[in-house]
Amino acid sequence: MNILVVSSDVSKPVRAIALNWRHAALAALSALVLFVMCSAVFNYAVLKWAAAAERPWLQKIVLADQRAEASRAQEKLQGHLSAMAVRLGELQAQTERLDALSTRLAETAGLKAEEMPTAEAGQGGAETPLPARAFSASELGSLIDGLTQKITVQSDRLNVLEGLLVEDSANRRFLPSLLPVNASWRSSDFGFRIDPFTGMRAFHEGIDFSATTGTPIVATASGKVIRAEKHSQYGKIVEIDHGNGLVTRYAHSSDLLVNKGDLVVRGQAIATVGSTGRSTGPHLHFEVRLNGVAQNPARFLKTVGESPVL
């Protein structure tokens, strides 16, 4: 587009100005910016005037705008609260799972419910001179996220610990740690002694528990019976293989309650006390052997005097 500029002075030549699309776009943009600025100034002036001048219709417009803004803020806050409620529900469920897991761990470890620590950790300190304030929604959300992460990590650790405890408990079932008989005292310990038949110094490869005839003898650990027969020296004898080269021997019994090949569990009755074989009176001769070598049973057994599980 061309614009001709004509002067009143006839002596001056006529000038032509050429306008392209760039000039038109710049003019439109300038007009838009000017309109926005004028609208903002007008709205600000009207609102300030409405606040100062008591005009009902203007006050209604201002109140409607404030109500709309408050409604948007309330919806936003309600959304935050709903999200926090969901997180709190998840935390509560995780806490209940941790409580159940702690109970299982206590049972696996042999603890009673009253022995579990339940008291809350004490806290205290002097009052801070800084002004106190309530947590904001974003701060509470961050705290909940951090607590959720800590609970998840703790749950994973407790699950690993439970697996280790269960494995350890299973291994203990195959260790001869239970007293084989309910006896008040031991008549002979492991090691060198004076042989009651020869009067010579001899090595005693087990522990003798003095008990009356017919007293139940139990398996000190779970395993498989590999021997249940009469022996010229040991009398009626039972041997149990607990795996990993560990074998227990129960000798001088009056009656055998199991047979070769039977699977027995810890605390199961396998024989009764007697005085068969090379014996001076009713008692249980108990041995523990590892890969065929006699071990001191006292290293495995619980405190003497503790009743066996029947």
Side-chain angles (χ1 to χ4, degrees):
M1 182 177 66
N2 295 323
I3 299 176
L4 297 177
V5 180
V6 180
S7 175
S8 59
D9 189 355
V10 296
S11 63
K12 292 183 179 180
V14 177
R15 289 185 301 171
I17 301 176
L19 298 178
N20 53 26
W21 65 270
R22 292 185 180 87
H23 295 89
L26 181 61
L29 179 62
S30 301
L32 179 62
V33 171
L34 182 62
F35 175 76
V36 171
M37 293 179 61
C38 291
S39 298
V41 171
F42 176 76
N43 289 334
Y44 178 78
V46 169
L47 292 177
K48 293 291 289 184
W49 178 66
E54 297 181 356
R55 295 291 186 271
W57 62 276
L58 287 178
Q59 290 180 352
K60 288 181 180 180
I61 295 176
V62 174
L63 289 176
D65 185 68
Q66 291 177 347
R67 290 193 185 99
E69 183 66 25
S71 178
R72 288 191 294 269
Q74 182 66 26
E75 290 178 358
K76 186 176 181 180
L77 178 60
Q78 188 63 39
H80 285 306
L81 292 177
S82 299
M84 289 181 184
V86 172
R87 287 294 183 87
L88 287 175
E90 294 175 352
L91 288 178
Q92 184 178 6
Q94 290 182 349
T95 302
E96 292 175 355
R97 287 196 295 270
L98 286 179
D99 290 340
L101 182 57
S102 299
T103 301
R104 292 199 304 270
L105 289 178
E107 293 175 353
T108 303
L111 295 177
K112 298 179 181 179
E114 57 269 19
E115 294 175 339
M116 290 293 292
T118 56
E120 295 182 356
Q123 295 181 346
E127 183 178 1
T128 174
L130 298 177
R133 65 177 181 84
F135 286 107
S136 65
S138 60
E139 289 174 335
L140 284 176
S142 299
L143 290 175
I144 290 177
D145 289 340
L147 183 58
T148 302
Q149 184 177 3
K150 288 182 179 180
I151 290 179
T152 302
V153 172
Q154 186 68 12
S155 178
D156 293 340
R157 290 177 178 174
L158 287 177
N159 284 325
V160 173
L161 179 59
E162 181 185 31
L164 294 176
L165 282 177
V166 169
E167 181 181 0
D168 181 64
S169 176
N171 291 335
R172 287 201 306 268
R173 291 181 180 274
F174 294 93
L175 287 178
S177 58
L178 184 67
L179 282 177
V181 67
N182 190 5
S184 58
W185 62 289
R186 293 181 291 187
S187 55
S188 185
D189 288 323
F190 179 86
F192 286 99
R193 67 171 184 175
I194 302 300
D195 189 282
F197 291 94
T198 64
M200 305 293 290
R201 186 171 182 265
F203 191 83
H204 188 230
E205 295 184 330
I207 293 179
D208 290 342
F209 293 92
S210 180
T212 59
T213 301
T215 301
I217 300 172
V218 301
T220 57
S222 300
K224 181 179 180 180
V225 178
I226 59 175
R227 191 175 185 181
E229 59 187 16
K230 189 173 182 179
H231 188 274
S232 59
Q233 299 290 322
Y234 290 107
K236 293 183 179 181
I237 182 176
V238 174
E239 287 187 2
I240 301 176
D241 185 357
H242 307 287
N244 298 320
L246 198 61
V247 175
T248 53
R249 177 178 293 173
Y250 313 78
H252 307 303
S253 303
S254 59
D255 292 304
L256 303 180
L257 306 180
V258 293
N259 300 307
K260 182 178 179 180
D262 289 349
L263 297 178
V264 296
V265 296
R266 173 185 171 93
Q268 178 180 337
I270 57 174
T272 56
V273 172
S275 184
T276 57
R278 192 172 182 266
S279 171
T280 60
H283 72 286
L284 167 65
H285 173 80
F286 175 69
E287 293 183 10
V288 177
R289 292 183 174 270
L290 180 62
N291 297 324
V293 180
Q295 307 292 318
N296 187 356
R299 293 170 49 196
F300 299 90
L301 296 178
K302 294 183 177 180
T303 305
V304 175
E306 183 176 348
S307 299
V309 177
L310 294 176

